Amino acid sequence: MSAHADTHAHEDDHGHHHKETFVTKYIFSQDHKMIAKQYLVTGTIMGVIGVLMSIMFRMQIAWPEEPNVLFEALLGKWAPDGVMDADIYLALVTIHGTIMVFFVLTAGLSGTFSNLLIPLQIGARDMASGFLNMVSYWLFFLSSIIMVISLFVEAGPAAAGWTIYPPLSALPMAQGGSGMGMTLWLVSMAIFIASSLLGSLNYVVTVINLRTKGMSMTRLPLTIWAFFVTAIIGIISFPVLLSAALLLIMDRSFGTSFFLSDIFIQGEVLHYQGGSPVLFEHLFWFLGHPEVYIVILPAMGLVSEIMASNSRKPIFGYRAMIASILAIAFLSTIVWGHHMFISGMNPFLGSVFTFTTLLIAIPSAVKAFNWITTLWKGNLQMNPAMLFSIGFVSTFITGGLTGIILGDSALDINVHDTYFVVAHFHLVMGISALYGMFAGIYHWFPKMFGRMLNKNLGYIHFWLTAICAYGVFFPMHFIGMAGLPRRYYTNSNFPLFDDLANVNVIITIFAIIGGIVQILYLYNFFSSIFFGNKATQNPWKSTTLEWTTPVEHIHGNWPGEIPHVHRWAYDYSKPGHDVDFVPQNIPLKDGEEELQH
């Protein structure tokens, strides 16, 4: 194994790493553990911005036309006398979606946990390329900064929805946010895609090449399988979004007509001819749908690991779990058309996409049943990480069930672009991925920072977040079935929706409480970094390799030789052993059989 050959070369380096300056250790670090923390803190800050935006537009929907002190303070000229302007409402929705999908969930899960766990769990000194890893983070940081800067453009930030369909995104004169704000959005996303691709290539090469002796692919923890496959999906689909963004830049700035045709503005015919906005939809959703699996697969991996560890029993159906990850990855690339059932596509093609979409429910259900079976008759340790993992399974199932309705072309037409869709994807990929991320943070915080998070605050955080999340998104299904369209900044012009106003107020109240609860988590997170109880080496009594490293972070992860692996990652409560967990680096006893479910 190439990792074995590298071991000694790295060991000779140890002495050189003690003279690190502040800049090389905390800023331009090439150590995967520090880069993981940088991703996590950056993603957290972006998350605060994204959640604040959602609270603002929820207040607008609940109390339209009413002056609001918060709007006046935060929106300035976009909220004259505290009444929100219609254009800025669309911009808030657009940037909220972009930040949460790309900058919080993609970076917070893949960026943080792939970086932290891949070298530690496969037994590697670091990533295949520490330099590329650093470049990947700083490109992500740069794209975050550009996205935030776009909020302060005079004409307003991008306001074409996070899916940036043309012509709103392709014509700079279409609306205020179609100008400089949209250009900055595209530049930010192009840099983000470069960051994502560099990171993904690094993850794939590391998993393939740097596994320690004895760490075969079927001994890998499910976290690593999830990160590995996520990175492959990213490499396949992100370049397609980059091409769409580049063609859009061409249409905007260089007079081409890839996505524009027969456009009239105030009765005047523009010169664009022959393009098709539907082409953009195809390119966007070819990334857009795999993207939701790029977000959810790492969360699934984290949840599988945390559930096995806190149930004190092996994960149920290890190989079936791997097979379902691979099946999801394959199917995710052939279902994008279900976002476009009302774009005028051929009904036969619609039926093909319906078939592939319903097919993806099978591997998803395999995973759900396996998680439930892992919990069955386990010795459950109900710590905050475990609660968030169970919450993940709950929201994944409830959100996934409505996906069956939306995946069927005949049923989707009735609820397309209503709040039913908003409820569906927020539960299945928004809240679920967020729960996976919180579970991962509560579980691996001691590995990242050498201290423990406050458990009681964690319990309060979980229960209030869980109640508020369902309080927000459960009623949305009903207002969606009643026909309420998404992205309207007020519904007061439609008497037919008057009865739904009270439901919108309830949703908003839950959203505000849910947002405030996250302040408790932020306090817990940042105060525990400095003042939390000191962690032991293996606080959760887990079997995987990262818990064999010392609590203090050292460059190269292990002092001395990298441990060799003798068993799979889930030897919990194994008969014949005195303790209820056997780490992967413990050799098999005479006559002991290796489990491989």
Side-chain angles (χ1 to χ4, degrees), residues 17-57:
H17 286 285
H18 294 301
K19 301 187 188 65
E20 285 185 321
T21 63
F22 179 84
V23 172
T24 57
K25 185 173 181 188
Y26 292 104
I27 301 174
F28 295 113
S29 173
Q30 297 190 19
D31 184 338
H32 70 100
K33 301 180 289 297
M34 183 54 66
I35 292 172
K37 292 185 212 175
Q38 290 175 322
Y39 265 112
L40 182 57
V41 172
T42 313
T44 302
I45 293 165
M46 294 299 278
V48 170
I49 298 170
V51 169
L52 198 60
M53 288 180 168
S54 64
I55 288 172
M56 282 200 289
F57 61 67

Side-chain angles (χ1 to χ4, degrees), residues 165-215:
Y165 285 178
L168 280 183
S169 58
L171 291 171
M173 69 289 279
Q175 56 179 6
S178 299
M180 188 63 177
M182 191 68 234
T183 303
L184 288 173
W185 192 99
L186 289 164
V187 171
S188 170
M189 283 314 299
I191 296 170
F192 175 86
I193 291 165
S195 153
S196 177
L197 286 172
L198 289 179
S200 296
L201 289 167
N202 220 352
Y203 306 150
V204 168
V205 172
T206 306
V207 173
I208 291 173
N209 282 344
L210 297 187
R211 301 191 307 282
T212 186
K213 191 165 191 252
M215 181 62 86

